[in-house]
Amino acid sequence: MIPAFFHPIYCSLALTVAATSVSKDEAPKAVSKVMLGATAGMVLGVPITNYIASETSLEMAMLFFAIVNSMAFIATLLFLPSMPVKERLSYGAQLSVLKKPITWLAIITVVFISSATSSVNSYIAEYLETITNISGTTLSLVLFSLGLASLVGNLAGGKLLTKNAMKTVTSFPIILGIAYLLSFLTGKSTGSMMITIMLWGLLFAAGNIISQYWIASAAPESS
């Protein structure tokens, strides 16, 4: 429970630091770079940790996890610049953003988008095994390709938001829905499903950045 509690706090701080360290126009690109690191960590960290657990023990896997987190802590102390608070806001002032209807609209939208993208992570392995008949080493390679596509999606999402934020934000739910509908058409074909998988990876990563943009733009005074 302790890592689960602090994980979103650390990510929120990292995204906030990234957005405030550059100009407002460059903020989406900066956020995408942080999300790129988070995605890379999942692409590499999950299979490595699973491998350590299967070959040695769960204790050794957790020890690896602890070492990596210690390295992240030390890197934060060494490389994160000092960013003193220019204007201290009261808790009441920060919570006042919840009175704005646009904030709740953004929150609800992000909840739905996150639910849609997270469902892929929860059931994609079982879907590929039962519908596409992919298993074993091939399944691992397909999931790895999903992760690689996510890395590209991080960069693409940041660039698209910088170029035309409104068009990117409004078109994303539609494109995401089309990608999910494609799974019904390509699910039984390995080759076609691979293309759908790559599209899923792109949209999953881009969705994280777009969700962050939604919240930040709806309540800029809370950053």
Side-chain angles (χ1 to χ4, degrees):
M1 291 177 63
I2 295 175
F5 179 80
F6 284 104
H7 174 73
I9 296 177
Y10 187 86
C11 288
S12 297
L13 288 173
L15 294 175
T16 301
V17 169
T20 55
S21 62
V22 297
S23 64
K24 185 177 180 180
D25 293 337
E26 293 295 320
K29 283 186 179 181
V31 171
S32 69
K33 291 180 180 179
V34 174
M35 292 303 302
L36 177 63
T39 303
M42 290 187 290
V43 172
L44 299 176
V46 172
I48 290 175
T49 306
N50 286 337
Y51 176 78
I52 294 175
S54 61
E55 293 296 322
T56 57
S57 64
L58 288 175
E59 289 80 4
M60 291 301 296
M62 294 303 294
L63 178 61
F64 169 76
F65 173 78
I67 292 174
V68 171
N69 277 274
S70 299
M71 294 172 61
F73 174 71
I74 295 173
T76 300
L77 292 177
L78 294 177
F79 301 112
L80 189 66
S82 177
M83 302 178 67
V85 177
K86 297 180 180 179
E87 182 181 355
R88 189 177 299 276
L89 297 177
S90 65
Y91 289 110
Q94 295 182 56
L95 292 175
S96 64
V97 299
L98 297 178
K99 297 179 181 179
K100 298 168 57 178
I102 188 64
T103 301
W104 284 104
L105 178 61
I107 291 174
I108 293 172
T109 304
V110 169
V111 167
F112 280 116
I113 292 296
S114 298
S115 299
T117 54
S118 296
S119 65
V120 171
N121 288 340
S122 300
Y123 300 106
I124 186 172
E126 182 179 358
Y127 183 85
L128 292 173
E129 286 181 324
T130 57
I131 304 299
T132 318
N133 296 319
I134 298 176
S135 59
T137 305
T138 304
L139 178 60
S140 298
L141 291 174
V142 172
L143 295 178
F144 184 71
S145 67
L146 172 67
L148 293 179
S150 298
L151 297 179
V152 179
N154 277 295
L155 298 176
K159 289 184 178 180
L160 289 172
L161 283 173
T162 303
K163 185 177 181 180
N164 193 326
M166 183 59 67
K167 185 177 181 180
T168 301
V169 168
T170 54
S171 61
F172 177 77
I174 300 174
I175 298 175
L176 183 64
I178 293 174
Y180 284 0
L181 289 175
L182 284 176
S183 64
F184 291 97
L185 302 176
T186 62
K188 295 184 178 181
S189 173
T190 302
S192 300
M193 191 60 192
M194 280 295 297
I195 298 176
T196 304
I197 288 293
M198 299 298 286
L199 182 59
W200 276 359
L202 291 171
L203 294 175
F204 169 73
N208 291 331
I209 300 174
I210 291 173
S211 296
Q212 172 69 18
Y213 176 84
W214 252 319
I215 296 297
S217 59
E221 65 273 22
S222 64
S223 300

